Amino acid sequence: MEPITFTAKKPMFPNEISVDFGLQLVGSLPVHSLTTMPMLPWVVAEVRRLSGQSSKKEPATRQVRLWVSPSGLKCEPEPGKSQQWDPLICSSIFECKPQHVHKLIHNSHDPSYFACLIREDAAHRQSICYVFKADDQTKVPEIISSIRQAGKIARQEELRCPSEFDDTFAKKFEVLFCGRVTVAHKKAPPALIDECIEKFNHVSCNQRADWDRAPEPRRPMRKSFSQPGLRSLAFRKEFQDANLRSGSFFSSFEENDIENHLISGHNIVQPTDIEENRTMLFTIGQSEVYLISPDTKKIALEKNFKEISFCSQGIRHVDHFGFICRESSGGGGFHFVCYVFQCTNEALVDEIMMTLKQAFTVAAVQQTAKAPAQLCEGCPLQALHKLCERIEGMNSSKTKLELQKHLTTLTNQEQATIFEEVQKLRPRSEQRENELIISFLRCLYEEKQKEHIHVGEMKQASQIAAENIGSELPASATRFRLDMLKNKAKRSLTESLESILSRGNKAKGLQEHSTSVDLDSSVSSTLSNISKEPSVGDKEALPISESSFKLLGSSDDLSSDSEGHFTEEPASLSPQQTFRRRANTLSHFPVGCPELPEPTQGSPGVSQRKLMRYHSVSTETPHERKDLESKANHVGDSGGTPVKTRRHSWRQQIFLRVATPQKACDSPGRYEEYSELGELPPRSPLEPVCEDGPFGPVPEEKKRTSRELRELWKKAILQQILLLRMEKENQKLQASENDLLNKRLKLDYEEITPCLKEVTTVWEKMLSTPGRSKIKFDMEKMHSAVGQGVPRHHRGEIWKFLAEQFHLKHPFPSKQQPKDVPYKELLKQLTSQQHAILIDLGRTFPTHPYFSAQLGAGQLSLYNILKAYSLLDQEVGYCQGLSFVAGILLLHMSEEEAFKMLKFLMFDMGLRKQYRPDMIILQIQMYQLSRLLHDYHRDLYDHLEEHEIGPSLYAAPWFLTVFASQFPLGFVARVFDMIFLQGSEVIFKVALSLLGSHKPLILQHENLETIVDFIKNTLPNLGLVQMEKTINQVFEMDIAKQLQAYEVEYHVLQEELIDSSPLSDNQRMDKLEKTNSSLRKQNLDLLEQLQMANGRIQSLEATVEKLLTSESKLKQAMLALELERSALLQVVEELRRQPAEPGTREPDCTQPETSGD
């Protein structure tokens, strides 16, 4: 057989570690899931015995390969070198998750064997014990450590992974965070919410009085509803993870942080700042409550159901609710805080309270179901556990006597059965006889355990029976309880006597036979203390010995016995006696041996390895660590090492051994680099002051002058300023890097029309034109540029440029624009459309990486845009399909810019009319598309009409989502390019071109299902060449006049249909009222247009008057300039006519010079 192999990859993250081992599988045995560590050595012995019996006939041991990783534990048979791989033979023996391995045992007397207990069926409490043998016994600790570390990482990933945050079925509500109040108790009356609101108003009024602001009135309300939550079972520190998928991370608020104000007193009120955005998404998961800020895209609050003790709705303020939860304080304690929220109406609060009630109930049921089964005092397996603990460390003779004592507690029939079965097998030694007895006792007690009712459950059953029937417990139950108490008293007396006697025996140092790992007891501590363990990001910074798989024999993996809840060891034991011995179960007698030699000073843990258990690091408590340190120090002291006043590291010790006095007594110049920085070499605060330092005699410290101190202060300040500047620059670089990554993530789609460099240069030239928002560009040039292609990384900016050109071309919009409310102000309000928006978030581009994460950065930005538009346009609010339009815009620009472009498309480009609640415009569009098919593709129209396929069956999503729900993003982006250039009629052109170009394929289908399936599914997945051809056809089409004619035709036909149908008087009255209302609406629209036209005329007249005035002023200026010109010409002529007199003028020029001299 080949030697064992150990292969480990070194990936970036610990959860990608994968190792495999070549082993021999000795055998397996199904056992009860309540099997404890003292029972496990006997189970291993039974497996080895059964393997030895079967090996006489055929070899039961086979070569296997064990694969260990955090994602799974897998055991497969390994074929020999001469054998070929056969899938029938090489099927996996077992495969499970590493966290299901809840017990591991390693025998120290025969270290090549080890066993693992795997939880197979939690419902039926079934586990399987697998026993392995390794050729190289030194690799067994590595194997056990690998399995343990993989289980630890898997459990951490289960808790660290925000499964509730990613839960698709989590309920989400938009609320307004009002504030928090520190309360004195975890329970409170239902009026607490109203009192908190009054306190918030009082504090806010005081603040407004300081700021000279008027208080905001509160309206009185009614009704209350309170629901207490689950009691707090264990406080769990909230862990934060900065790398939640697509922006979904466990971190706190940046601006208005809820968690960073921990209050130590009581009755402290903290209302939120009204100026900030207080809207939150209140998410109720399976076991936790999240408060997510759509503004900062982060989790502001995260509370487990265990930490919430009270939920209530306001009595007067029924649109408010709150809950009390526990939070940690600075001194290591905790206090209770009440968080208060406001909703849009009372119905939403009722729905939130009902959802919380249901979530608490389901979580309590699931927690009860997942709770590990424990042994009670009356459990049959508890008796076996106590027996195995008592015989632990005994030789075979004493073990046999103890087993005989225990057999007397059984019934006569059970004793006879066990005696007969043991005699049939004819054991050759006392050890083999003991193993057989334990095996039969285990089978007997496992059968009894199936029908056993725990003490707590029996109490509940007795109470229910007493309430329903009114009778006392039966005599059998009373007798059973008396027997149980009697046996308990006997065992306590026997154990107390035996513990006194066993101290002397243990002091002589019996040989140890097995050491083991108890993962079952470490699971609960790992889960409860998971926040104390390093996260994935922290593990990367740890040393390799801590973050990777550790050797099992290392001192870091040792801790005190984790099964101390069964028996406690005396505190006065010597270091060799601190760890409990395990019984001999592997066919060897415990032979007495002389006292163990004293451990060496250098490695105290090596000689104690056989006496120690291996535990997960996460199960150690601070007390256990202190005990281990004290034990290690005690062992070291026993070797005669004097206690030093000062500790040196191992590097310093090596240096002191090899350093010469000249090197030790170096010149003071070696401290110059420290003195320049204004500090001395670092020294431990607990280090005693000695004459000699760690590197020799230290020169005396000179007292600095005030000038030197001033210089040091200046240097420190300059360094601090430089550090702050560097931090700011790093933040800017990180922000720019995040922006680039975010932009790359957004633009993750394939282009339909590749943009050439020449076209990109043309676009960049137009975009870089100074003052472009006031300059009209040539429409032919823009049409040509859009037709040749739009660069993907400039598409958002080009869309804004096309919108600016549209506004320049149409300076006076034909319809009324919405109110100019800032985007940030809209985000501070609550919307009544929150349910519809939140439901559609997960349906919008579910496969795109920017929108795929539940409530990630993409979905939260999309929610903000849709919410702001629903508040801006109250008539439309929110309609299905708007999320796709807003999503396309959000992929190419920032959140606020996408909102502005959505307003432009809705109000200026005319998309808003198809989203109105009556959907009349959508019906008109369907009629227009049918008429286009009738006029341009008559055979296709007849084929669709023959199978009764109207355009509403396939074309309604095209219009409502602008092809974004079914077609590739590259094609949709090209459609948006043309919409920004030509308007909403592009949708008709694209639909007509798609149906016309694929007419032969559609005509081949002969039934309704196949035709609709082809149009909905096959048509959007055609090749890029066909889609580019469609885009080119759209640029050549002009159907504006036809669309206007078809719209008039629709209205005429509708009126004729209404007039021709026989109607009753009420129907006629309704018809006339509707007609009257429509006429009034048209009249109002015409009046509005007239007013706008009058305003335009007045503005034009004013412009004309200004031009005339400026013209008259320019004429006057021109006349003045002409007069001045004529005057200047006259002066020039006069100067030319004057004769030159040089003789008479020379003395005049020289005379001042002589006088000056």
Side-chain angles (χ1 to χ4, degrees), residues 177 180 235 237-238 240 250-263 270 280 289 291 299-304 307 323 325-329 335 337 339:
F177 177 61
R180 45 177 275 169
F235 178 70
K237 290 183 179 179
E238 297 177 356
Q240 297 182 353
F250 294 122
S251 57
S252 57
F253 237 15
E254 288 181 349
E255 297 179 359
N256 46 346
D257 190 353
I258 300 174
E259 290 291 345
N260 60 2
H261 302 291
L262 294 178
I263 307 301
Q270 286 184 321
M280 306 281 176
V289 170
L291 201 64
I299 294 181
L301 184 69
E302 175 195 357
K303 292 296 177 183
N304 195 288
E307 303 175 52
F323 59 83
C325 62
R326 184 167 62 174
E327 290 187 356
S328 61
S329 56
H335 59 280
V337 177
Y339 290 91

Side-chain angles (χ1 to χ4, degrees), residues 818-819 821 826 867-874 899 903 907:
K819 296 180 180 179
V821 183
L826 292 171
K867 165 194 168 181
Y869 185 81
S870 67
L871 293 169
L872 182 70
D873 190 356
Q874 296 288 341
F899 175 71
K903 286 198 304 181
F907 288 93

